[in-house]
Amino acid sequence: MKSTVDRGGAAQVVVSSGLTRRSFLSLSVALGGGLVVPLIFPVKGSRAAATRSPASATFAPNGFIRVTTDGRISVIIPYVEMGQGVYTSLTMLIAEELEVPISKIDVEHAPADDQLYANPIHGFQNTGDSLSVRVTWTPLRMAGATARTMLVCAAAARWNVPADSCRAENAEVLHPPSGRRLTYGALVADAAVMPVPEKVPLKDPAQFKLIGTSTPRIDTVAKSTGVAVYGIDVRFPGLLVASVASSPVKGGRVVKVDDHRAKAVKGVTQIVVLDDAVAVVGEHTGATRKGLALLDISWDAGPQGQYSTETLVAELAAASKRNGVVATKKGDVAASLATAAKRVDAVYQIPLLAHTMMEPMNCTVRLSRTHCELWLGSQAATRAQSAAAKITGLPLDAVEVHNQFLGGGFGRRAEFDVVEQAVRIAQKVDRPVKLIWSREEDVQHGFYRPYYYDVLSAGLDSSGTPVAWSHRVVGSSIIARIMPRFFKAGLDEDAVEGAYGPYTFPNLLIDYVRQESPALNTGFWRGVGSTHNAFMVEGFIDELAFTAKQDPVRYRANLLCEHPRARSVLERAASLAKWGDPLPTGSGRGVALAFAFGSYISNVAEVSVAPSGDVRIKRIVCVVDCGRAINPDTVVAQMQSGIVYGLSAALYGRITLKNGRVEQSNFHDYRALRTDQMPQLDISLVISSEDPGGVGELAVPCVAPAVVNAIFVATGKRLRTLPIKPEELKRA
Amino acid sequence: MSTTLTINGASSTLDVDDDTPLLWVLRDVLGMTGTKFGCGIALCGACTVHVDGVATRSCVTPISTLKGKSVSTIEALGATPAGKRLQAAWIKLEVPQCGYCQPGQLMSAAALLGHTPHPDDADIDAAMAGNICRCGTYVRIRAAIKAAADPAAVAPSGAKR
Ligand code: FES
Ligand code: FES
């Protein structure tokens, strides 16, 4: 198996014959003595640690950059590192303008602070929606340029020369005519008292030295040697640990607990009973997990004790008959459907999904009467902070959040349920406590990707061209709960994101019916609305192409007059995949296309389906145009990553309920793709100087639709519901 | 009753129940947090360590089974030649994303190279299928194992950064 990567080095499509890599660290360096005790950057620290540092003066022209007299240059990154590489790519944005090599920069997690660090789109400190680069592309370069301009002015004033006769390079200011130079550290005291200029010029992109060049990730060494610290790894003297069992049914209550056997376990110090959960607290997790297994808890299931997936689907099917809130309307869909030469109707469904980040949910709490400290990896630090403030009654500024590396986030770590639970437990324990959820708790108490039940209709004219497209989205609204200011007049903008793809239809109607379930929580799941809708749209458009007896690539391309970049990724993917070349019986290729997160992506999947119905994904070709790629290798990594995440969901992902309880519990029945099931991945990046688009979620949307479209070619069976079930593909 | 274990060449005497899984002794008692918890029931590989050189899921390994055996963890991986080569390849190929599964991946890979110095794809599948990576770094893990197995075969990259 040879997967390939093409970072778009040539104008022509070139797919390298193997995973060619640039030299990140020369092997000799990597093999040298520095490896076991690697470069560690102070990601454990926060502003508090920095203010305690002995440096006498600090130049901090904005919330993102701090230079001290000892020459230490730190950047404070408000978007969390959960694998997507933002600590590196955002640092690159600053470093490019600040004229400092990445290796000289320390990266710190930002503290919780909406004043300084709110995501400008979301209105609070939040890492999600593949926005981190998009919302910092200009501000962080500006932050770097501002600091550099001030340091240059400080040097020019010191030398009494015009500022434009000086330049910055490698963390120094130079005055080439005289050969004088000063380090940034030496200029801190002067720069610190200068007024901050309001506007400074940014570099011409043609001058970029760093942006657009594959750059080693800041966190790679720490993560290759086991020293990276995640929330779950936080330790300090006096810390106890806790294991928990939460009510298996949403809204259920603890009735009675028999804890005599749990209490007898060596190392267990306390049993904490909350309304809806029981925690075993102790000296180590071996003891608390053993204790938890020995608890005998009676639960009152509450009103949802009979709820099942069938209930959920019936509620959604009924809701789909209601008129929705109109999201997009053009022309007259009803009239054109009525007069179309051919009408096609379909219902598409996607299941509830859990996130199953590798690092199970956890939160460490140290609580006193006046102060609360939290250690965790959170995508939304200020939400965690206010949740703890609310429960403890402490003012917001008495709650300190020490954000850590996230062992995966995928949307789940934007929630703060575990923070609330950990704080409630900590209130009953007289020492600090680290709560770690089991994998079973994680799978069974998720904020699941909503189940969507979407109704699509299209009208084709006599040539097969779609003249009408309607798509009714039916499901839970996450926006209404998390970002109510974006929930306007009953419309969830995320739920309908991409509901007609990048295509142009003369008559168009997108509407949304909100249907909540009382028995479960829903939340953002990697790929969000775009992933949900791409499955529906790309499956349905494929149906239309086959109904019209037209080639699915050509059929799509003809509808892309508003999105030439979509057309070029589509055509490039088809060409790389040798679209049209014959395949053996039982095999097929399928295509999918999306415009999502400001980027364009197209996948071609090649699959084979055995007579038993078993599906083997053989190859995925992925062509991406994300505008200017900050760190191209990270873009490639995110494509590889999103494809695997999407395949896990397409092949296995399904959370179901019975008697109000989630039926799955761990990786045996909520499976993830493993390495022996990996297809060949061929990733190709389009070189572009457009503004950067998002990439962290970008690869997820087109995976499942490309695969089901390939299965249709291989078997003639059109799958409109995920996950793919081999029993439905069995040939007699 | 106390148990004595040999971990990364050093012996530790532990005052915990002898059915305690090694994982929690490492993480919570000895403070060696490089070994990760992912599932607790031998399904994900995040907790992989070596017991006498064999890749072992520490989450289901009671310390009572380790008397007289030698445990080694991610913290000591760089001290072995194969481990060092693997870590160098991991770094060179930028394998980790969130990084949480990587200690387990590296320990499984090191055990593989211990018995199969030049693994082919089938060997890698067999040795590595027990290690889940939710970030989907599998392509790079495979390439890094091959690079570590045969450093000379990895074409030196001309790209300067
Ligand atoms: S934690 Fe041991 S295999 Fe998953
Ligand atoms: S790197 Fe995140 S789980 Fe493997």
Side-chain angles (χ1 to χ4, degrees), chain A residues 19 42 77 151 160 257 305 314 327 332 395 433 448 630:
Chain A
L19 191 83
I77 302 292
L151 290 159
N160 203 12
V257 184
D332 187 338
V433 63
Y448 304 107
I630 310 305

Side-chain angles (χ1 to χ4, degrees), chain A residues 641-690:
Chain A
S641 173
I643 290 170
V644 174
Y645 207 72
L647 280 175
S648 290
L651 293 171
Y652 317 122
R654 170 173 41 173
I655 290 290
T656 55
L657 292 139
K658 193 174 180 180
N659 296 328
R661 292 160 159 79
V662 169
E663 294 185 281
Q664 293 72 27
S665 63
N666 207 316
F667 287 117
H668 62 294
D669 54 8
Y670 192 80
R671 292 173 61 189
L673 195 81
R674 293 172 183 272
T675 197
D676 57 346
Q677 297 298 314
M678 272 296 286
Q680 173 184 333
L681 302 186
D682 295 305
I683 316 282
S684 178
L685 239 65
V686 173
I687 288 245
S688 167
S689 54
E690 302 277 345

